[in-house]
Amino acid sequence: PLGAALAYSIMLGDMLSSLAQAAGVKGVLAGRRAGILAISSLVLYPLCNLKSLAALAPVSMVAVLGVIATALFMYLRMAGGAYAAGGAFFDTVAPHLRASFDVIGNKAYSPSILVLGGMAATAYLVHFSAMDFHNNLEDNNVKRFGTLVGVSFGVTAIINVMFMMFGFLTFGGSSSGLILNNYSPSDVGASLCRLLTVISLVGSYPIFMRGIRSSFLELFRSGQEITDGASKRMTAALLSTITALALVMENAGFVVGLTGATMGSLIIYSIPPLLFLKSSSRRMASGALQRSKRLGFERLLSKFLIGLGAVVGILGGVAVVLEAFFPGTL
């Protein structure tokens, strides 16, 4: 959640800067740092102190509609060729962000695919909020929660594929880590999508902050009673740290990729089998579980998955770093 919140802060800075430029604001106030400081202190801090996620439901609905509208906008710009050479907006974006399809890059089996894998894993890093969603779900039985997870993950996969397709088919090798950065500040449709994306990011931010705060408490202050005042001070300290990092880091794609490659691999491949090995070992020792061929196979498979997670995490993390700081290496 710390990596996700940092990526969101960086993206908010980019979005707000583009919106400010589209509105005619110039100078320091149109910079990404001014946007990050303003939204962190005036909007994110109050929202992160909310006691219930239910209050974010209206914002979440706007965010969902915003994602759908953005996907539709990206399709229309791709189909209409507005950002292709000679298109209406081709000359209004920076040269390094213009559509580029004339360079033969790495093939699909290049190590660069690990960067994509890391970014894709980030889309499903919501484990830290699972209990919050379960507890706030009406009639929260296992079946309804399973339906919620299945539908949500399925829709998320479809949306991610659509964004990747439309973005790449519009800009090719010039596609930015945050694809909306490729669109012109003078494009009204892009500005509307940026505004909706800001609402989406703001509405999701408290979820990540709750995950960060609860994890911090479990690690360092387990069993201690936390007052509202102490909770707010902790939120202020955590948000200030994230904001400070976002002020000096500008590549949201790097943060997303590194978080997915390292934490994603750990959560997806390694932690579940570690929990299974610990649990089954304890139950066998107590006599509650009898060893069998199936159990032996499951424990062997769990050990393999732990190793796979470590290898994928290390390789993915290295690939993301090389792609960001040593382009052309992979």
Side-chain angles (χ1 to χ4, degrees):
L2 180 60
L6 175 57
Y8 273 32
S9 289
I10 295 172
M11 288 189 279
L12 283 170
D14 290 342
M15 298 287 181
L16 292 172
S17 177
S18 296
L19 288 172
Q21 294 175 36
V25 179
K26 298 181 180 180
V28 177
L29 294 179
R32 57 181 300 276
R33 292 181 177 178
I36 292 174
L37 289 172
I39 201 164
S40 295
S41 57
L42 301 177
V43 180
L44 295 181
Y45 177 69
L47 289 179
C48 289
N49 283 312
L50 290 174
K51 293 185 178 180
S52 173
L53 295 176
L56 297 173
V59 180
S60 298
M61 291 305 300
V62 174
V64 171
L65 295 175
V67 169
I68 296 173
T70 301
L72 178 61
F73 160 79
M74 292 176 64
Y75 170 76
L76 292 174
R77 289 291 184 265
M78 176 200 70
Y83 285 87
F89 296 105
F90 182 78
D91 293 324
T92 63
V93 297
H96 69 283
L97 295 175
R98 293 174 183 170
S100 174
F101 296 96
D102 57 350
V103 178
I104 299 176
N106 294 326
K107 298 181 179 180
Y109 52 77
S110 161
S112 295
I113 197 68
L114 292 168
V115 179
L116 174 61
M119 289 184 169
T122 310
Y124 297 100
L125 290 185
V126 290
H127 303 68
F128 52 87
S129 296
M131 287 308 299
D132 283 327
F133 282 111
H134 177 273
N135 294 336
N136 284 283
L137 178 66
E138 186 176 350
D139 298 329
N140 55 350
N141 55 60
V142 174
K143 182 178 180 180
R144 282 177 56 80
F145 184 66
T147 301
L148 171 68
V149 173
V151 172
S152 301
F153 278 29
V155 172
T156 299
I158 294 172
I159 290 174
N160 274 281
V161 171
M162 290 172 62
F163 271 76
M164 286 191 292
M165 286 175 53
F166 300 155
F168 181 77
L169 292 176
T170 304
F171 298 102
S174 297
S175 299
S176 171
L178 177 58
I179 195 62
L180 284 178
N181 284 346
N182 282 86
Y183 294 88
S184 171
S186 60
D187 188 339
V188 177
S191 295
L192 176 60
C193 290
R194 290 187 180 103
L195 178 60
L196 292 172
T197 302
V198 167
I199 296 174
S200 174
L201 297 178
V202 167
S204 303
Y205 207 100
I207 298 175
F208 295 115
M209 182 55 67
R210 176 169 294 200
I212 298 169
R213 189 171 55 217
S214 62
S215 298
F216 182 87
L217 291 174
E218 289 178 14
L219 283 170
F220 301 109
R221 303 187 66 175
S222 179
Q224 299 182 33
E225 184 177 353
I226 305 299
T227 64
D228 287 344
S231 178
K232 290 181 178 180
R233 289 192 295 272
M234 188 176 300
T235 299
L238 292 170
L239 183 59
S240 297
T241 302
I242 295 170
T243 300
L245 289 172
L247 292 175
V248 298
M249 299 181 67
E250 299 183 3
N251 190 346
F254 167 72
V255 177
V256 171
L258 186 63
T259 302
T262 54
M263 295 297 101
S265 298
L266 183 65
I267 292 175
I268 293 170
Y269 298 110
S270 299
I271 291 181
L274 276 170
L275 294 174
F276 173 75
L277 288 175
K278 185 72 172 179
S279 172
S280 59
S281 177
R282 185 184 300 116
R283 285 182 290 162
M284 285 191 297
S286 66
L289 184 66
Q290 298 296 320
R291 179 177 289 276
S292 64
K293 290 184 178 180
R294 177 178 176 179
L295 178 61
F297 174 75
E298 289 178 340
R299 288 178 60 84
L300 181 62
L301 180 60
S302 295
K303 294 175 182 179
F304 168 76
L305 288 174
I306 293 170
L308 177 64
V311 172
V312 171
I314 293 172
L315 292 179
V318 171
V320 171
V321 172
L322 292 177
E323 186 82 8
F325 298 104
F326 305 95
T329 304
L330 297 179

